[in-house]
Amino acid sequence: MPRPGDLVIGGYTPDTEGSGPGLTVARPDAEGRLEPVAETAVSGPSFVAGHPRLPLLYAVLEREGEGGLAVLATGEDRAAPRLLAEHPSGGSLPCHLALDDRGEWLVIANYGDGTVTAYRLGEDGMPEPGPLTFPHEGRGPHPERQEGPHAHMAVFGPGGVLYVTDLGTDEVRRFLPGMRPHPEGAVRLVSGSGPRHFLHHEGHWYVTGELDGTVRVYDASWQEAGTVRASGAEGENLPSHIALSADGRHLYVANRGPDTVAVFAVDGPRLTMVAEAPAGGRWPRHFAIDGDRLYVACQRSDVVVALGLKEGLPEHGGQALAVGTPSCVLVR
């Protein structure tokens, strides 16, 4: 089974316009070099998450038509996750999923049509029949990227409230515990910003704008409190993933276009760029932090790069593991 510190890497497969095997389990050695130890054939597992208590993994299957949800076991007798079941994602092109802290709900963001799907999980972690689906309507000013709703990331925030960014409508959709739509509806963000990935930390929300190349900070009431460019490089930038260091001092942002990882010092709503380092490959789609290592899935270079972190800042260079079209890195 994957050991603590192992990586589970998801990505696109030949049937989903990629070249990857499905899921890859990789293990870092003492120097941080990654070695592949197992593979599991799954169709287009573009994002992977783990159950908070059980030895289970969940992956969205980002394929044309109706997307899917895969449930996999990480048993004691094997390194490769074992496929247990597949379920519909409730929409098209699912790109993200999230579980609440108690492992009672699993929520899928379907990028293709904007549908948010929620499965109640049983005690065994398996999705129960009859998922809830929440379609959406609307558009934004970008003629190609915002022609309709595009749910992109789901996050369970304070009080168990679910938040879902919608890149297509420039909104954050909200659901109260029990998957009840918020009576005040969605939060409207800056028109044309294209909110993608986001996180909550000590009363503030930090949101990447995929379409305007920014990181915006909002307070607990979703009032904008600050904005910075996600990269100092010139030219087009489509920031992707965002994450905090364990101590909350540094915010990391992956930039597609300049192909960098930017680091910001965090002081509440104030963000100050302190470093921007090459990601080690093209199109850094996602990354994960584990101690003094930052693992970057460089989708268009077919590698996952291990960057060392020194006092929170990425070091140049880094070891690379060949993986076809990687799009997600999960540290188990």
Side-chain angles (χ1 to χ4, degrees):
M1 64 177 293
R3 301 173 184 172
D6 280 2
L7 308 186
V8 180
I9 302 163
Y12 297 97
T13 48
D15 61 319
T16 58
E17 301 183 357
S19 59
L23 294 179
T24 300
V25 178
R27 185 163 296 158
D29 62 18
E31 284 74 41
R33 291 187 296 264
L34 293 172
E35 295 291 339
V37 296
E39 294 179 351
T40 301
V42 193
S43 173
S46 65
F47 193 84
V48 188
H51 193 282
R53 300 185 315 276
L54 303 173
L56 294 174
L57 297 175
Y58 305 87
V60 294
L61 308 180
E62 190 176 338
R63 55 198 181 198
E64 292 293 338
E66 185 174 61
L69 166 69
V71 185
L72 305 102
T74 55
E76 295 289 345
D77 59 341
R78 59 173 64 215
R82 176 170 55 91
L83 181 64
L84 297 177
E86 288 192 20
H87 299 270
S89 74
S92 64
L93 298 179
C95 63
H96 192 268
L97 62 86
L99 288 83
D100 67 347
D101 290 341
R102 300 175 66 178
E104 295 179 348
W105 288 98
L106 181 150
V107 176
I108 301 168
N110 289 282
Y111 179 86
D113 60 7
T115 299
V116 173
T117 300
Y119 279 96
R120 187 182 289 275
L121 300 180
E123 289 295 323
D124 59 357
M126 298 300 290
E128 296 183 349
L132 304 176
T133 56
F134 301 91
H136 197 45
E137 296 180 349
R139 60 185 302 143
H142 195 292
E144 297 176 356
R145 299 294 309 279
Q146 295 185 310
E147 81 297 344
H150 295 303
H152 216 307
M153 185 181 194
V155 170
F156 284 94
V161 177
L162 174 72
Y163 299 85
V164 180
T165 47
D166 197 306
L167 183 147
T169 64
D170 294 316
E171 292 175 314
V172 175
R173 297 154 65 182
R174 299 179 289 180
F175 301 84
L176 300 178
M179 289 304 300
R180 295 172 291 146
H182 198 287
E184 298 178 6
V187 177
R188 297 287 304 174
L189 302 187
V190 174
S191 179
S193 59
R196 181 183 170 96
H197 280 202
F198 68 128
L199 59 86
H200 179 268
H201 177 64
E202 295 185 348
H204 291 94
W205 292 95
Y206 303 84
V207 186
T208 58
E210 178 171 337
L211 301 184
D212 68 358
T214 63
V215 178
R216 296 182 186 273
V217 186
Y218 297 86
D219 65 17
S221 300
W222 285 97
Q223 298 299 309
E224 187 172 332
T227 306
V228 295
R229 291 182 60 195
S231 170
E234 298 296 329
E236 185 180 40
N237 175 34
L238 287 76
S240 55
H241 190 51
I242 185 172
L244 270 174
S245 59
D247 59 12
R249 295 174 53 203
H250 294 113
L251 184 77
Y252 302 87
V253 182
N255 292 298
R256 295 170 299 171
D259 297 334
T260 62
V261 176
V263 187
F264 296 86
V266 179
D267 181 12
R270 182 181 179 184
L271 298 178
T272 304
M273 184 181 287
V274 292
E276 185 169 8
R282 296 176 55 227
W283 215 248
R285 168 72 175 263
H286 187 261
F287 62 86
I289 303 168
D290 187 27
D292 62 354
R293 290 288 185 273
L294 191 149
Y295 299 104
V296 188
C298 296
Q299 182 178 337
R300 294 184 181 176
S301 291
D302 297 328
V303 294
V304 173
V305 179
L307 297 177
L309 294 175
K310 185 174 182 180
E311 297 182 355
L313 305 184
E315 298 181 303
H316 291 287
Q319 301 291 330
L321 171 69
V323 181
T325 51
S327 59
C328 175
V329 182
L330 172 68
V331 178
R332 290 295 283 164

